[in-house]
């Protein structure tokens, strides 16, 4: 069993990466043999070693190719979308049940603690992810979505901890309600917003929110993100609480709710 007739080198490599992702996810790193991966890919051990020097290299390559990349995929699909909105959309998925391949990062991190051969490429992988995230944080700071006084590297580290750590706690071990989790994320993101200048806190124009009922489809993101500003009516559609006046310091939550409404049914009025 060598090279498969009619299959290119690139296709063989992808077969190996796909088989490795499945085998590592099913058996774990220590329980997976190179022969298991080669057999699952339909090639010989020699053909596998023509592409990868070691099982450790194959593990990290499989993680790069088939690991979970929610934030990166969202950013690639819509690079002009506000960074904070991308983070919230990704964050809402963290507690969800995931397929076996999404746990590859757990296998790689555990193996890296025991095996320096795995640790070396994993340091590169995590470093690259951290650098990419730090760059994304700088974009958010330049766009005045996040406080520029915060360290982009520290923000990236927080994202790494949340993203990779979430794979360790599946919903069957500890579940959290969607609304509870979304409200917490909104509070965290609001705390990362730039501080308002002192001059803007005195004598400012009143900021108000309003909902276009013709466009609202009842997704509920507004009252998840800003429960002090929005609620839901008897039919589950969004509604403004009170007269819609935004309390001092609540402007960021109002903007988040507006940015996350899929129908753009929310207007924030009166901002300077």
């Amino acid at each position: 069993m060598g090279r498969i007739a009619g299959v290119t080198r690139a296709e063989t490599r992808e077969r190996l990466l796909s088989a490795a992702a499945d085998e590592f996810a099913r058996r774990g790193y220590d329980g997976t043999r190179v022969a298991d991966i080669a057999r699952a890919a339909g090639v010989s051990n020699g053909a596998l070693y023509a592409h990868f020097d070691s099982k450790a290299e194959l593990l990290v390559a499989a993680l790069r190719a088939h690991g979970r990349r929610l934030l990166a995929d969202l950013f690639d699909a819509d690079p002009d979308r506000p960074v904070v909105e991308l983070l919230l959309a990704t964050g809402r998925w963290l507690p969800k049940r995931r397929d076996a391949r999404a746990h590859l990062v757990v296998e790689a991190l555990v193996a890296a603690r025991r095996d320096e051969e795995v640790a070396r490429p994993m340091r590169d992988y995590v470093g690259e992810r951290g650098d990419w995230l730090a760059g994304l944080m700088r974009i958010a700071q330049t766009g005045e979505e996040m406080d520029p006084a915060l360290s982009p590297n520290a923000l990236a580290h927080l994202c790494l901890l949340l993203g990779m750590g979430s794979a360790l706690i599946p919903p069957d071990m500890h579940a959290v309600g969607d609304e509870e989790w979304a409200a917490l994320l909104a509070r965290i993101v609001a705390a990362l917003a730039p501080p308002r200048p002192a001059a803007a806190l005195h004598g400012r124009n009143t900021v108000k929110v309003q909902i276009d009922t013709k466009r609202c489809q009842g997704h509920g993101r507004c009252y998840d993100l800003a429960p002090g500003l929005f609620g839901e009516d008897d039919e589950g559609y969004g509604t403004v609480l009170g007269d819609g006046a935004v309390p001092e310091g609540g402007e960021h939550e109002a903007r988040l709710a507006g940015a996350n409404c899929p129908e753009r049914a929310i207007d924030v009025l009166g901002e300077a």
Side-chain angles (χ1 to χ4, degrees), residues 18-40:
S18 181
D22 289 336
E23 293 299 311
F24 286 134
R26 185 163 64 93
R27 302 171 185 262
Y29 179 74
D30 290 336
T32 300
R33 301 175 304 165
V34 168
D36 298 325
I37 298 170
R39 185 182 305 108

Side-chain angles (χ1 to χ4, degrees), residues 251-267:
E251 295 85 0
H252 186 64
E253 284 190 5
R255 291 194 296 271
L256 282 180
N260 276 271
C261 177
E263 282 75 36
R264 297 295 186 260
I266 296 172
D267 293 313

Side-chain angles (χ1 to χ4, degrees), residues 65-145:
H66 295 287
R68 210 179 198 198
R69 299 175 69 253
L70 287 177
L71 181 58
D73 290 343
L74 285 173
F75 180 79
D76 290 343
D78 189 0
D80 295 325
R81 192 174 176 184
V83 172
V84 166
E85 187 176 336
L86 294 172
L87 292 172
L88 285 169
T90 303
R92 283 193 289 268
W93 279 100
L94 291 181
K96 304 289 186 182
R97 185 176 300 280
R98 54 191 72 190
D99 61 37
R101 285 185 175 184
H103 294 279
L104 275 173
V105 68
V106 176
E107 292 299 329
L109 289 171
V110 171
R113 289 186 63 86
R114 300 172 178 167
D115 187 339
E116 179 59 26
E117 192 176 8
V118 180
R120 285 193 298 272
M122 273 302 290
R123 279 193 287 268
D124 291 339
Y125 172 79
V126 174
E128 289 167 11
R129 300 298 300 155
D131 289 345
W132 182 83
L133 285 165
L136 199 63
M137 299 306 114
R138 292 187 185 95
I139 292 173
Q141 290 172 323
T142 301
E144 298 184 348
E145 297 178 64

Side-chain angles (χ1 to χ4, degrees), residues 132-167:
W132 182 83
L133 285 165
L136 199 63
M137 299 306 114
R138 292 187 185 95
I139 292 173
Q141 290 172 323
T142 301
E144 298 184 348
E145 297 178 64
M146 287 188 178
D147 187 346
L150 296 172
S151 162
N153 190 53
L155 290 167
H157 194 73
L158 175 62
C159 291
L160 287 171
L161 291 175
L162 288 172
M164 295 183 176
S166 67

Side-chain angles (χ1 to χ4, degrees), residues 240-254:
V240 172
L241 299 180
D243 64 357
V246 177
E248 197 168 280
E251 295 85 0
H252 186 64
E253 284 190 5

